[in-house]
Amino acid sequence: MPENVLKLAQRLEQARKPFVLATVVWCERPTSAKPGARALIQADGSVSGWIGGSCAQPVVVREALRLLHEGGDPYLLRLGASEAGLARAGPGVRVFPMTCSSGGVLDIYMEPHLPQPRLFLIGASPVVTALARLAPVLDFAIVRVDESGLLTMQPDERSAILVATHGEYDEEAVARALRSPAWYVGMVGSRRRAEACRQYLREAGFQESVIARLRAPAGLDVGAVTPEEIAASILAELVQVRRRQATQKPEMSEPASASAASATPATAIDPVCGMIVEVAAARQCSTYQGQDFYFCCPACKRLFESDPQRYLAPKAHATHER
């Protein structure tokens, strides 16, 4: 199984698909997963491999999806820690209590694999040459594009695009860039040239919300003059935009109707152990006082049904990060 997971990881990396590799590095019995157990979690929540049973896997998947969404460095995830285990947790360890009847503790190394962001440089100018030298320091993969390559370039949502053709084919390049899912589209040029390009986009039928994505003149206003200074100001803007997007939280929209507000949630909290349960796939469910409760395993369901009030009393299933 580990070999198959690693082969899948290789294929996903070649296809520029993000995933998280989760590996058990230590356990305190009894646990169903042992050191060396490994699973690969993709952005759609699918799991390949084995990382533990119904109490462990939902937390691992949830943490993997959070990591793919927010980004970040690898870290150690501890599941099922006792007070003693919590005290031994080192800095940077994320700890989730797990009180299912099976017990046990798992330390899982969460390793994100995100495709290297690409910076498409359109044109042949001194600024482009400077960016091609400097941008790899910030982990950008450089893709040089000329006019003949506009039709074949394939930027994705992890791509940034800079147009620096000095008026030769700015409008066509910017239009194609704005039709892509790239998170950054910039153009090197004067303010007058930038406004002329925006007017072209309006006349071509682009909506103002789409035109607003264009950053022109590209780069932070730091008084840059030389090609190298302009390139540095563009890199600074790329960092600024990327970090702001990483910290933005999606806005909660108002429910369209009362029925939408009362719709079944996608996930629920197991009232016994505090685990996240996928409602659609939940195999253990119980109804108490007209409310549905979902459980990660039969043991949690039995404990709840034996004394519901014990588990409905206010208590903290907190996540600890040391």
Side-chain angles (χ1 to χ4, degrees):
M1 182 62 71
E3 182 181 358
N4 292 336
V5 169
L6 293 178
K7 288 181 179 178
L8 175 59
Q10 183 180 28
R11 292 198 299 271
L12 291 174
E13 285 192 335
Q14 291 174 346
R16 292 182 53 80
K17 300 293 185 181
F19 63 91
V20 171
L21 199 59
T23 306
V24 176
V25 295
W26 176 83
C27 73
E28 183 177 277
R29 297 174 184 273
T31 58
S32 57
K34 301 299 184 285
R38 181 182 288 127
L40 184 151
I41 301 94
Q42 298 187 53
D44 61 359
S46 61
V47 179
S48 302
W50 172 255
I51 203 65
S54 58
C55 285
Q57 181 168 301
V59 180
V60 173
V61 172
R62 185 188 64 186
E63 282 294 290
L65 295 179
R66 182 192 62 79
L67 195 54
L68 291 175
H69 175 70
E70 299 177 2
D73 297 325
Y75 66 90
L76 195 65
L77 175 66
R78 174 161 293 182
L79 299 179
S82 60
E83 289 301 320
L86 179 59
R88 292 196 303 269
V93 178
R94 290 177 61 84
V95 183
F96 287 79
M98 185 168 58
T99 58
C100 285
S101 57
S102 59
V105 182
L106 286 172
D107 277 2
I108 302 173
Y109 185 63
M110 304 289 288
E111 183 181 1
H113 290 258
L114 302 174
Q116 187 180 20
R118 291 182 292 180
L119 175 57
F120 287 80
L121 299 176
I122 302 177
S125 70
V127 172
V128 164
T129 301
L131 278 170
R133 292 200 315 268
L134 299 175
V137 177
L138 296 180
D139 198 35
F140 282 104
I142 301 301
V143 182
R144 299 287 292 266
V145 181
D146 58 17
E147 187 173 8
S148 63
L150 288 179
L151 293 176
T152 57
M153 72 174 189
Q154 295 182 324
D156 55 24
E157 65 279 356
R158 289 181 56 80
S159 301
I161 302 175
L162 182 81
V163 177
T165 67
H166 289 284
E168 293 184 13
Y169 48 97
D170 284 347
E171 290 85 356
E172 180 185 358
V174 168
R176 291 192 177 277
L178 289 176
R179 291 190 184 101
S180 78
W183 57 269
Y184 174 95
V185 177
M187 186 186 79
V188 175
S190 66
R191 296 188 184 278
R192 178 178 296 180
R193 179 65 188 139
E195 184 52 42
C197 186
R198 290 188 177 95
Q199 185 58 37
Y200 166 85
L201 295 170
R202 293 186 186 100
E203 294 172 358
F206 282 79
Q207 297 182 354
E208 289 297 329
S209 60
V210 176
I211 297 174
R213 291 177 54 207
L214 175 63
R215 293 178 175 268
L220 299 183
D221 187 1
V222 295
V225 176
T226 68
E228 290 75 17
E229 291 173 345
I230 295 172
S233 74
I234 293 170
L235 288 176
E237 185 174 61
L238 285 166
V239 171
Q240 182 186 72
V241 174
R242 181 163 61 180
R243 293 304 180 188
R244 284 180 177 175
Q245 290 180 346
T247 57
Q248 285 178 348
K249 296 182 179 179
E251 297 181 357
M252 299 297 293
S253 58
E254 293 295 326
S257 64
S259 60
S262 59
T264 302
T267 61
I269 301 294
D270 185 324
V272 175
C273 68
M275 294 297 101
I276 300 294
V277 180
E278 298 290 337
V279 170
R283 305 173 75 177
Q284 308 298 327
C285 176
S286 182
T287 302
Y288 178 71
Q289 294 184 344
Q291 182 177 353
D292 292 330
F293 296 91
Y294 300 87
F295 308 92
C296 68
C297 64
C300 285
K301 179 183 178 182
R302 287 195 300 271
L303 288 171
F304 176 82
E305 291 178 341
S306 67
D307 187 4
Q309 286 301 322
R310 173 187 175 188
Y311 299 103
L312 296 179
K315 60 181 179 178
H317 286 294
T319 301
H320 305 274
E321 185 163 1
R322 300 295 294 247

